[in-house]
């Protein structure tokens, strides 16, 4: 079942491979990068190396000779952050390939951490690399029936969690993933962070889903300073586990909230951290609305056009828009997110949309339809707004 699922990002990846000498496919651990890369590589001459395995890493003892011997293939390098010295070597080989007239991608590099990878690759491969970010499964990939959406929302978008035989197995898998990040991945990246403390912060952020955070309050609860809290959150953000959404920064003549909002990106991890053990438990949990908002937010991000920018808008008086999308063509999409099948937008939603210059105004709800509710505002289902965003791809 898992192998039959076609990932929406695959066509974007194929196009990028045709345009760039190197493509970096970034995404959280176990999100499906390796499966997608191997599937695409079957259709072309290729070689795959997983740099977490000593056997594959040993093949690169003389990296120039080995890579040059496979210059007629697409070379897939998985977990590239395990061998950061390769970046400068790749640069030289790419330039040799360009001189020889090879334009298609020579390298597809996969990484489960964005911070160091982006810094190293941007320094060494500037002008030679394209970036694709892969999120968890979205509802256009799994199906849009209510039962399927409910299951994806509850279990999250990691394929092994979503396809687990039952919910208990799903949550056990997610608990092991959390443990792997805390006890292996973070130390491997060179961060000396106590695993128990980082998990406490992660759990605190889960309770603050979709909200701005008070760094000093978090610091006091963790018995560390505010700067350290920010660094810890940056680690989780860099591992693509937490999403940071910045406030709308246009010149609006109002007092605006200036702190970013944070989201636990995967709804399954959110529920595991909060101890939600069933769909009924989720329905009675105070986090329900925020969990739905985060789930909608992540699904929308998974299909947003390249170069689109995402913000939220909130004034000091409390007027807000959950998501403001600045499209590549300069359109502004204002998206309010409501749980339920008969929600109502805020009293001043239309005026708030005018504040940001919105050209498109939507209220995403839990129903299946799309219909106007006045003042050029549309009530719309999650699948339908995602399809609109796909159509808007440049």
């Amino acid at each position: 079942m898992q192998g039959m699922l076609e990932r929406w990002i695959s066509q974007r990846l194929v196009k990028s491979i045709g345009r760039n000498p190197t493509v970096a496919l970034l995404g959280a651990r176990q999100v499906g990068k390796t499966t997608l890369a191997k599937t695409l590589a079957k259709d072309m001459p290729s070689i795959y190396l997983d740099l977490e395995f000593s056997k594959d890493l040993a093949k690169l003892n003389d990296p120039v000779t080995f890579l040059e011997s496979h210059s007629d293939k697409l070379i897939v390098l998985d977990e590239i952050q395990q061998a950061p010295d390769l970046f400068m070597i790749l640069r030289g080989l790419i330039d040799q390939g360009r001189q020889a007239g090879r334009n298609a991608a020579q390298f597809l590099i996969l990484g489960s951490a964005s911070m160091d990878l982006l810094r190293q690759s941007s320094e060494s491969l500037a002008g030679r690399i394209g970036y694709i970010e892969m999120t968890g499964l979205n509802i256009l990939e799994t199906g849009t029936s209510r039962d399927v959406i409910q299951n994806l929302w509850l279990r999250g978008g990691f394929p092994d969690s979503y396809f687990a035989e039952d919910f208990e197995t799903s949550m056990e898998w997610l608990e092991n993933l959390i443990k792997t990040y805390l006890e292996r991945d973070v130390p491997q990246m060179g961060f000396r962070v106590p695993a128990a403390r980082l998990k406490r912060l992660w759990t605190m952020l889960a309770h603050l889903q979709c909200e701005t955070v008070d760094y000093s309050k978090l610091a006091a609860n963790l018995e560390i300073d505010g700067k350290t809290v920010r660094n810890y959150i940056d680690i989780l953000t860099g591992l693509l586990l937490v999403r940071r959404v910045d406030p709308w920064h246009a010149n609006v003549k109002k007092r605006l909230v200036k702190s970013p909002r944070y989201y636990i990106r995967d709804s399954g991890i959110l529920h595991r951290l909060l101890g939600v053990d069933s769909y009924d438990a989720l329905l009675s949990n105070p986090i329900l609305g925020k969990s739905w908002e985060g789930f909608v937010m992540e699904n929308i991000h998974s299909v947003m056009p390249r170069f689109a920018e995402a913000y939220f808008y909130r004034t000091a008086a409390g007027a807000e828009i959950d998501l403001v999308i600045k499209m590549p063509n300069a359109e502004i999409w204002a998206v309010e997110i409501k749980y339920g099948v008969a929600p109502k937008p805020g009293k001043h939603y239309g005026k708030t949309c005018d504040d940001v210059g919105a050209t498109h105004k939507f209220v995403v709800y839990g129903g299946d339809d799309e219909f106007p509710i006045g003042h050029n505002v549309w009530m719309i289902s999650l699948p339908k707004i995602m399809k609109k965003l796909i159509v808007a791809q440049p």
Side-chain angles (χ1 to χ4, degrees):
M1 186 176 181
Q2 183 174 340
M4 296 169 60
L5 199 67
E6 182 177 352
R7 301 304 299 268
W8 180 84
I9 203 72
S10 60
Q11 292 304 311
R12 182 179 286 183
L13 180 59
V14 169
K15 289 180 181 179
S16 189
I17 288 174
R19 296 170 179 169
N20 300 283
T22 301
V23 176
L25 180 61
L26 306 175
R29 177 177 295 281
Q30 299 295 323
V31 83
K33 301 184 302 297
T34 300
T35 300
L36 176 58
K38 287 183 174 181
T39 300
L40 295 181
K42 286 180 181 178
D43 298 329
M44 60 187 76
S46 60
I47 182 170
Y48 171 84
L49 298 177
D50 187 338
L51 303 186
E52 284 197 325
F53 289 103
S54 56
K55 180 183 69 172
D56 283 357
L57 197 57
K59 295 177 182 178
L60 296 175
N61 284 337
D62 184 356
V64 174
T65 300
F66 179 84
L67 296 174
E68 281 185 332
S69 69
H70 295 283
S71 60
D72 58 337
K73 302 181 180 72
L74 175 69
I75 301 174
V76 182
L77 300 171
D78 206 344
E79 299 298 344
I80 187 68
Q81 66 268 15
Q82 301 296 328
D85 292 342
L86 277 178
F87 284 106
M88 286 302 296
I89 295 170
L90 297 184
R91 174 177 176 165
L93 294 174
I94 289 166
D95 289 347
Q96 288 179 23
R98 282 178 164 177
Q99 292 172 5
R102 293 193 296 270
N103 296 317
Q106 295 172 255
F107 304 103
L108 174 58
I109 60 179
L110 314 182
S112 56
S114 67
M115 290 181 296
D116 284 346
L117 181 62
L118 288 173
R119 177 179 57 79
Q120 292 160 350
S121 61
S122 62
E123 291 174 357
S124 305
L125 298 176
R128 302 168 179 84
I129 187 168
Y131 296 99
I132 301 288
E133 183 178 334
M134 187 175 186
T135 66
L137 298 171
N138 69 40
I139 62 172
L140 299 184
E141 296 166 336
T142 60
T144 58
S145 69
R146 288 202 179 187
D147 287 346
V148 171
I149 292 175
Q150 173 184 312
N151 195 42
L152 181 63
W153 176 22
L154 187 62
R155 296 184 176 202
F158 287 97
D160 285 339
S161 175
Y162 176 75
F163 288 112
E165 59 181 346
D166 52 42
F167 183 67
E168 182 179 355
T169 304
S170 169
M171 291 297 106
E172 182 179 346
W173 185 89
L174 287 169
E175 183 64 30
N176 290 332
L177 179 68
I178 290 169
K179 186 175 182 180
T180 298
Y181 268 112
L182 294 172
E183 297 182 0
R184 192 188 77 166
D185 290 4
V186 171
Q188 278 188 351
M189 292 178 67
F191 298 110
R192 301 179 62 181
V193 181
R197 181 176 289 165
L198 189 57
K199 186 175 183 180
R200 281 179 62 199
L201 174 61
W202 202 351
T203 304
M204 289 176 184
L205 291 176
H207 283 283
L208 296 170
Q209 178 79 335
C210 313
E211 298 179 15
T212 57
V213 302
D214 185 331
Y215 298 109
S216 60
K217 185 178 292 186
L218 291 176
N221 289 332
L222 293 168
E223 299 179 338
I224 53 179
D225 59 66
K227 182 179 179 181
T228 302
V229 166
R230 289 172 184 263
N231 289 338
Y232 286 2
I233 294 177
D234 284 345
I235 291 172
L236 293 172
T237 303
L239 287 168
L240 305 173
L241 299 169
V242 169
R243 184 179 295 281
R244 170 187 168 124
V245 178
D246 289 317
W248 179 254
H249 61 258
N251 183 24
V252 178
K253 295 180 179 180
K254 294 180 183 290
R255 291 181 57 221
L256 303 180
V257 171
K258 297 182 180 179
S259 300
R261 282 181 175 174
Y262 291 98
Y263 294 79
I264 305 299
R265 292 180 58 155
D266 181 72
S267 56
I269 286 183
L270 174 74
H271 299 151
R272 176 80 288 276
L273 290 170
L274 296 177
V276 174
D277 59 6
S278 69
Y279 186 65
D280 287 340
L282 175 60
L283 292 178
S284 60
N285 194 298
I287 202 68
L288 175 66
K290 297 296 186 183
S291 173
W292 173 251
E293 181 179 332
F295 177 71
V296 170
M297 183 77 68
E298 201 60 25
N299 271 268
I300 286 176
H301 270 84
S302 73
V303 297
M304 270 175 39
R306 297 193 69 185
F307 311 117
E309 300 172 6
Y311 305 92
F312 75 93
Y313 175 78
R314 183 177 175 85
T315 68
E320 68 176 347
I321 302 171
D322 295 323
L323 178 62
V324 180
I325 305 174
K326 184 178 180 181
M327 301 288 275
N329 63 1
E331 291 179 350
I332 304 295
W333 291 30
V335 181
E336 186 71 4
I337 301 169
K338 299 289 187 181
Y339 175 73
V341 296
K344 294 182 179 179
K347 183 177 180 181
H348 302 293
Y349 176 67
K351 176 63 172 63
T352 307
C353 289
D354 293 340
D355 289 345
V356 300
T359 57
H360 297 66
K361 307 168 189 178
F362 298 104
V363 178
V364 176
Y365 77 125
D368 303 318
D369 300 319
E370 176 184 357
F371 53 90
I373 56 175
H375 305 291
N376 296 317
V377 180
W378 288 80
M379 192 76 73
I380 191 170
S381 68
L382 177 56
K384 289 183 183 296
I385 194 171
M386 291 172 68
K387 290 174 182 178
K388 286 183 181 292
L389 285 164
I390 291 174
V391 170
Q393 302 284 333

